[in-house]
Amino acid sequence: MNKRSSVSQRGKTSTVRKTIFRQKKEFHQMQARLSFAEKIRILVELQKIARNIKKKDIFVWQI
Amino acid sequence: MDKTLRVVNTLKKGKLIEDYAIAGGIAAMFYIEPILTYDLDIFVILPREMKTNQLIDLTPVYDHLKKRKYKWKGEHIIIEGVPVQFIPVDELEEGAVRNAKMITLKGVRTRIITPEYLVAILLRTGRKKDIVKVEKLLTQAKVKTAVVKKIVRAHGLQNRLATVIKGMHE
């Protein structure tokens, strides 16, 4: 790989990374805009996952 | 959680607490993406008669809840399926409760701490997970920077805020 193509490859990688990080940021912001009730529903699902992984005495909200 | 908040509202109606606001992870989650948390923190301002000789007495609150058959699990009281922790406020937190935002969850009116006060409270606590929440609040929520600066200045937290902001740009 010559110097020019190496620079070009790096440029492409950088663009791809920027796109990925922008998409990630947009996803998190979209999640932040969910209704409070929907966030609570997701929270209960997260608690169930945590209980299954940690096998600990995790209290899952009974709502 | 709406049923839980309905019960908490009865504490205020019955004058067992002067006022309250949702705090902690649940308050943060109101403004940011869903995060894992296990309890519902409620900041409470107690009526003057319950703060005698600098001692804070939550007994009337707990008695009221016990009468309604709510049970304890560790340091939490389970109200309608949700572990709740009542936290009597200090000066910063009292400001947070007095300036809390009114919201409605499934028809139940409740109050929740503003993102600006949350940032200050989380900065003060300063654990790694608190700083992560501060970063999320600053990037995902509509936070009034001037208000945050005013609160953190009043409570000597400017350096902590500066450190977090610097870390976010590195």
Side-chain angles (χ1 to χ4, degrees), chain B residues 58-109:
Chain B
L58 280 168
T59 311
V61 170
Y62 296 145
D63 284 348
H64 173 83
L65 295 169
K66 267 190 244 170
K67 268 185 212 157
R68 296 185 67 165
K69 310 284 180 209
Y70 295 118
K71 301 250 186 307
W72 286 88
K73 189 177 188 327
E75 60 205 21
H76 300 98
I77 189 155
I78 311 294
I79 304 176
E80 299 297 329
V82 175
V84 179
Q85 191 160 38
F86 293 99
I87 304 166
V89 292
D90 61 18
E91 195 192 341
L92 170 60
E93 293 157 352
E94 181 166 344
V97 174
R98 298 216 183 272
N99 291 285
K101 175 186 165 108
M102 182 69 82
I103 62 160
T104 304
L105 178 67
K106 293 185 180 173
V108 180
R109 284 166 72 79

Side-chain angles (χ1 to χ4, degrees), chain A residues 25 27-29 31-32 34 36-40 42-43 46-47 50 54 57-63, chain B residues 1 26 29-40 73 78 80-83 103 105 112 139-140:
Chain A
K25 193 178 170 189
F27 172 75
H28 291 301
Q29 281 172 339
Q31 292 284 97
L34 291 171
F36 195 34
E38 177 63 6
K39 288 178 184 179
I40 299 294
I42 294 171
L43 167 66
L46 290 173
Q47 289 172 346
K54 293 185 178 174
D57 185 25
I58 288 174
F59 186 91
V60 175
W61 290 14
Q62 290 148 7
I63 50 174
Chain B
M1 201 174 84
I26 295 297
M29 204 176 71
F30 181 78
Y31 303 103
I32 63 174
E33 63 190 317
I35 50 169
L36 181 58
T37 185
Y38 299 103
D39 60 1
L40 171 64
K73 189 177 188 327
I78 311 294
E80 299 297 329
V82 175
I103 62 160
L105 178 67
I112 196 155
T139 52
Q140 296 175 8

Side-chain angles (χ1 to χ4, degrees), chain A residues 7-18:
Chain A
V7 169
S8 162
Q9 191 60 39
R10 251 184 283 155
K12 271 186 199 166
T13 308
S14 169
T15 309
V16 170
R17 281 171 58 86
K18 272 184 194 162

Side-chain angles (χ1 to χ4, degrees), chain B residues 102-167:
Chain B
M102 182 69 82
I103 62 160
T104 304
L105 178 67
K106 293 185 180 173
V108 180
R109 284 166 72 79
T110 186
R111 300 180 77 234
I112 196 155
I113 287 174
T114 64
E116 292 81 13
Y117 267 101
L118 265 176
V119 166
I121 291 164
L122 290 164
L123 282 173
R124 189 179 62 175
T125 320
R127 296 164 301 180
K128 208 170 182 179
K129 64 177 187 175
D130 300 316
I131 301 305
V132 169
K133 285 184 197 129
V134 171
E135 289 173 353
K136 284 178 190 281
L137 281 163
L138 295 177
T139 52
Q140 296 175 8
K142 285 177 188 158
V143 177
K144 292 174 190 153
T145 315
V147 179
V148 173
K149 283 182 178 167
K150 193 178 166 193
I151 300 166
V152 298
R153 208 179 304 125
H155 296 274
L157 298 162
Q158 311 93 301
N159 291 346
R160 292 193 186 194
L161 178 64
T163 306
V164 171
I165 290 171
K166 193 179 166 215

